[in-house]
Amino acid sequence: MTEKKKLIAGNWKMNGSLQANAALLQGLRDGIGQPACNVAVAVPAPYLAQVQALVAGSAIALAAQDVSQHEAGAFTGESSAAMLRDFGTRYVLVGHSERRQYHGESDAVVAAKAKQALAAGITPIVCVGETLEQREAGQTEAVVKRQLAAVIQANGHCISEIVVAYEPVWAIGTGRTATPEQAQAVHAVLRAQLAAATAQAGRIALLYGGSMNAANAAQLLAQPDIDGGLVGGASLKAADFLQIIAAAQSNQA
Ligand code: 13P
């Protein structure tokens, strides 16, 4: 349905070491060739420089896991979008559920982070998703629409430059994946919301995340509005991540 390239992004979360990163990226580089889809790895901030060097000349793009909502200044511990850009960062996750949950990030903060990324020429991967409680209360659509609306509102015509990741919180790290139908239903809602905001909605990649693995990726990626994956645990093993990339390529329009 879409001609755009699929995007498979690995989110390493707070995992890795100089040695483990080098081994993982070597494994990816050995197996990746020239993929028909886009590939990125979102690494912990201390490893941006290391991974920038290790992915140079390969098909793997560098991504960060978070960015400050501020441009510069007295914000101890934060990394600005310009700093991420300095290391060749192509994408940055904003509003991951772990940031929303453990660091109290509001929709407004997430929208401001997306804005900083866009201003620095970095593509924000805006994460949205409902908790199990919200799903069971029938609030899934309302929750993801509210989360995305804040980003649309703050970013105007730039909205066509974002990537959206639907990550149901109950599927993250639990081994409990959304069914392809459940994921597609939410993706269709997000696509319609984007279409109301921009004529370019068709080119916005909508990723699914939440226990995506080598075994279930192909079915998820075959859905018309699933344009890629945001992969946690399975991105830490080269063989698994390569299989997900292969699944994306065979689903490439
Ligand atoms: P898992 O793939 O480990 O469930 O993590 C998903 C996720 O949160 C990616 O951002």
Side-chain angles (χ1 to χ4, degrees):
M1 178 173 172
T2 49
E3 324 83 22
K4 63 184 165 284
K5 278 190 176 183
K6 290 202 188 300
L7 168 62
I8 300 297
N11 175 9
W12 292 0
K13 307 194 179 186
M14 200 172 73
N15 294 292
S17 65
L18 288 172
Q19 204 182 358
N21 302 344
L24 175 53
L25 288 164
Q26 187 61 50
L28 292 179
R29 289 192 64 141
D30 287 348
I32 202 166
Q34 287 298 328
C37 63
N38 292 317
V39 175
V41 288
V43 310
Y47 297 125
L48 285 169
Q50 181 207 16
V51 176
Q52 178 186 28
L54 292 174
V55 300
S58 80
I60 305 165
L62 181 61
Q65 297 178 9
D66 187 30
V67 63
S68 175
Q69 65 182 299
H70 305 288
E71 202 176 325
F75 302 102
T76 301
E78 301 267 303
S79 305
S80 73
M83 292 170 186
L84 301 182
R85 187 72 241 172
D86 264 349
F87 292 94
T89 301
R90 269 275 302 286
Y91 303 94
V92 63
L93 308 183
V94 299
H96 191 281
S97 64
E98 288 149 18
R99 300 291 318 171
R100 294 180 189 262
Q101 198 177 343
Y102 307 136
H103 301 272
E105 289 188 10
S106 64
D107 294 338
V109 165
V110 173
K113 290 183 170 200
K115 193 169 181 161
Q116 287 294 335
L118 288 166
I122 298 173
T123 300
I125 300 178
V126 177
C127 304
V128 302
E130 81 289 0
T131 62
L132 185 58
E133 204 179 14
Q134 288 166 331
R135 173 163 283 265
E136 285 174 349
Q139 295 166 349
T140 298
E141 212 173 292
V143 169
V144 298
K145 283 171 91 170
R146 188 201 74 223
Q147 292 172 331
L148 183 57
V151 177
I152 292 174
Q153 210 172 23
N155 290 282
H157 68 275
C158 292
I159 205 66
S160 60
E161 303 302 318
I162 72 170
V163 168
V164 178
Y166 168 56
E167 298 207 306
V169 177
W170 47 271
I172 294 177
T174 58
R176 189 179 161 192
T177 320
T179 65
E181 295 72 26
Q182 280 174 323
Q184 167 57 29
V186 176
H187 281 230
V189 166
L190 296 171
R191 183 85 69 201
Q193 187 179 6
L194 290 164
T198 170
Q200 311 290 319
R203 55 176 277 220
I204 300 177
L206 303 184
L207 315 184
Y208 167 79
S211 298
M212 184 182 269
N213 58 40
N216 62 29
Q219 267 193 310
L220 287 158
L221 294 167
Q223 298 299 311
D225 288 301
I226 300 186
D227 307 315
L230 182 54
V231 185
S235 74
L236 297 172
K237 289 192 194 131
D240 290 9
F241 196 53
L242 287 168
Q243 280 191 57
I244 296 172
I245 292 166
Q249 297 189 79
S250 50
N251 271 299
Q252 192 71 60

